[in-house]
Amino acid sequence: VLLLEPAINISQNFIQFIEPTRPGVIVFGAEMNCAPDPALRLMYPETAPSAFRFLNSGTILGRVHDIRYMLTAVRRDIEFHHVRFGADPFRFDDQRWYARFMLANPHRAMLDITSRLFHTLHDTSPQHFDLSQHPDFENQHLLLRSKLFNTFPCLIHGNGNGIDTFHDLSEYLARNASWPDPPSSLEGKTDTFASTYSTLPISDNTPEQHRRVWKNAAS
């Protein structure tokens, strides 16, 4: 996951645009793939005005007490429908159980189907994005815009086969928008941005810039 500049307003967007009409709701990221249970697509509304109509559990936003309520409900669901039949209580797909919670409690959970907050990258390409001026950011440099929705997401999430797009966009932002700060400028600063990279697996395909930032965060 990589936080982008609009993330500074993520709580404001939640309070201003979501809570007034959906009090107590928890927002999940959305994706185009119904995983890990493809058959669950039959349970999702077919009228969603977006191909991003399935839950992705990589990004979640909500009030603490609402999150706690959900976690309690999910834990009970796992205990009753997973553990009691002999399954390992520490080996399960969290996305399955969050999807079950949302489908059973549509008044308590919703999807960010236009990627105003969270943009998943599975089945997307760098060509689905560009740099543009954010209408709410005066005198700011160009920010990452989703051409799929004409929105400026607060973060991008390289889920599924989107990890390559994630790396490409990260390099694109560093090269053309100086985001995040280049590694040499991190010295003496907080590791806020470095920590957003710390969840990335290091492999032979990991860009060298990400390796340096990850090592900086881990040291």
Side-chain angles (χ1 to χ4, degrees), residues 6 12 36 78 108 117 125 169 179 182 205 211:
Q12 177 182 334
I78 292 172
R108 287 189 172 272
L117 302 175
S125 73
L169 288 176
W179 184 268
N205 297 322
R211 292 171 181 263

Side-chain angles (χ1 to χ4, degrees), residues 92-140:
F92 56 85
D93 191 307
D94 67 299
Q95 188 156 295
R96 167 180 292 127
W97 301 95
Y98 285 130
R100 286 167 60 92
F101 174 83
M102 185 193 71
L103 293 172
N105 302 274
H107 60 294
R108 287 189 172 272
M110 63 176 288
L111 304 181
D112 181 17
I113 61 174
T114 59
S115 300
R116 184 187 183 97
L117 302 175
F118 314 127
H119 205 307
T120 59
L121 300 179
H122 181 76
D123 280 350
T124 67
S125 73
Q127 287 68 43
H128 290 133
F129 300 85
D130 65 11
L131 290 175
S132 186
Q133 179 67 51
H134 194 301
D136 298 330
F137 280 64
E138 297 181 0
N139 301 320
Q140 289 285 332

Side-chain angles (χ1 to χ4, degrees), residues 3 11 17 21 28 30 44 84 95 102 111 123 125 154 166-167 178-179 187 193 202:
L3 292 174
S11 60
F17 297 109
T21 57
F28 285 89
Y44 282 82
R84 71 178 301 187
Q95 188 156 295
M102 185 193 71
L111 304 181
D123 280 350
S125 73
C154 296
F166 179 90
H167 288 320
S178 298
W179 184 268
E187 187 174 355
F193 304 128
I202 299 298

Side-chain angles (χ1 to χ4, degrees), residues 78-79 82-93 97:
I78 292 172
E79 290 175 349
H82 182 72
V83 177
R84 71 178 301 187
F85 296 107
D88 189 332
F90 301 106
R91 294 180 63 86
F92 56 85
D93 191 307
W97 301 95

Side-chain angles (χ1 to χ4, degrees), residues 30-84:
E31 63 171 290
M32 291 188 280
N33 186 40
C34 186
D37 301 309
L40 272 185
R41 66 175 57 246
L42 299 174
M43 304 293 292
Y44 282 82
E46 295 184 1
T47 56
S50 167
F52 287 64
R53 65 188 189 94
F54 303 112
L55 181 143
N56 176 272
S57 63
T59 47
I60 306 172
L61 179 64
R63 296 282 184 179
V64 172
H65 59 275
D66 297 318
I67 297 290
R68 285 175 174 168
Y69 176 91
M70 177 183 69
L71 292 177
T72 299
V74 168
R75 183 187 66 192
R76 290 172 177 169
D77 191 16
I78 292 172
E79 290 175 349
F80 190 78
H81 294 105
H82 182 72
V83 177
R84 71 178 301 187

